């Protein structure tokens, strides 16, 4: 149930898939990179992912109040990616969740990273996210390619 990298095989999404992050962990729900579906248990093991820690749930409530977010969202899943110097995440849209109105909350522990996204014109833009910071994208940006 800790950090792992599944043996991803060709599937309906990719002829030669490669999950670019060497290690990741799911909390609350398990996101399976083989079929892009969230599960309450880890396939093949039937083990439940670790629960979302109370401090993170409390943090989300505080963030929701500070940002004056009006929708009634609560975190269902947390994806923890462990990036090394040679790893990255490919451009994608977070559309596999049932609730696509709630914002994406990212926490960057460690050093500064590049965050790439496509603007309204389809042009790739870059933002530097400082280490030990939080970023949130919701509303129309919730479904942006990044």
């Amino acid at each position: 149930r800790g950090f792992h990298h599944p043996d991803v095989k060709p599937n309906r999404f990719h002829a030669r898939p490669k999950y670019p992050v060497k290690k990741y962990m799911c909390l609350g729900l398990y996101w399976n990179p083989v079929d892009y579906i969230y599960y309450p248990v880890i396939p093949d093991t039937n083990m439940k992912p670790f629960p979302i820690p109370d401090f993170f749930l409390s943090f989300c409530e505080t963030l929701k109040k500070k940002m004056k977010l009006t929708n009634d969202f609560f975190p269902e899943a947390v994806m923890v990616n462990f990036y090394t110097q040679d790893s990255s995440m490919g451009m994608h849209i977070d559309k596999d969740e049932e609730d696509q109105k709630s914002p994406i909350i990212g926490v960057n522990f460690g050093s500064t990273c590049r965050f790439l996204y496509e603007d309204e014109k389809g042009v790739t833009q870059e933002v530097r996210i400082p280490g030990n910071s939080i970023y949130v994208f919701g509303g129309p940006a919730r479904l942006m390619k990044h």
Side-chain angles (χ1 to χ4, degrees), residues 7-119:
D7 181 21
V8 181
K9 296 175 177 57
N11 57 46
R12 66 186 173 105
F13 301 99
H14 304 288
R16 290 185 294 140
K18 179 183 176 204
Y19 192 66
V21 177
K22 299 211 181 320
K23 296 180 182 180
Y24 75 94
M25 176 190 298
C26 297
L27 306 172
L29 295 173
Y30 176 80
W31 179 78
N32 190 350
V34 174
D35 58 14
Y36 291 41
I37 295 176
Y38 282 91
Y39 290 95
V41 296
I42 300 169
D44 301 327
T45 67
N46 282 335
M47 293 181 71
K48 288 185 176 182
F50 287 111
I52 299 172
D54 289 339
F55 76 86
F56 191 77
L57 297 172
S58 175
F59 163 76
C60 288
E61 282 302 312
T62 301
L63 189 61
K64 189 164 68 169
K65 288 176 188 168
K66 284 189 178 204
M67 296 187 64
K68 299 180 176 131
L69 299 173
T70 56
N71 63 336
D72 293 324
F73 84 94
F74 64 94
E76 294 179 286
V78 175
M79 173 83 73
V80 181
N81 290 317
F82 178 76
Y83 294 94
T84 59
Q85 194 170 12
D86 63 338
S87 62
S88 65
M89 176 65 68
M91 295 288 276
H92 64 282
I93 298 172
D94 291 312
K95 63 184 182 315
D96 301 318
E97 300 83 7
E98 283 185 37
D99 177 6
Q100 294 184 357
K101 291 187 179 4
S102 292
I104 300 292
I105 301 171
V107 181
N108 178 23
F109 298 109
S111 61
T112 299
C113 68
R114 295 178 343 153
F115 183 86
L116 303 174
Y117 69 94
E118 263 186 23
D119 65 17

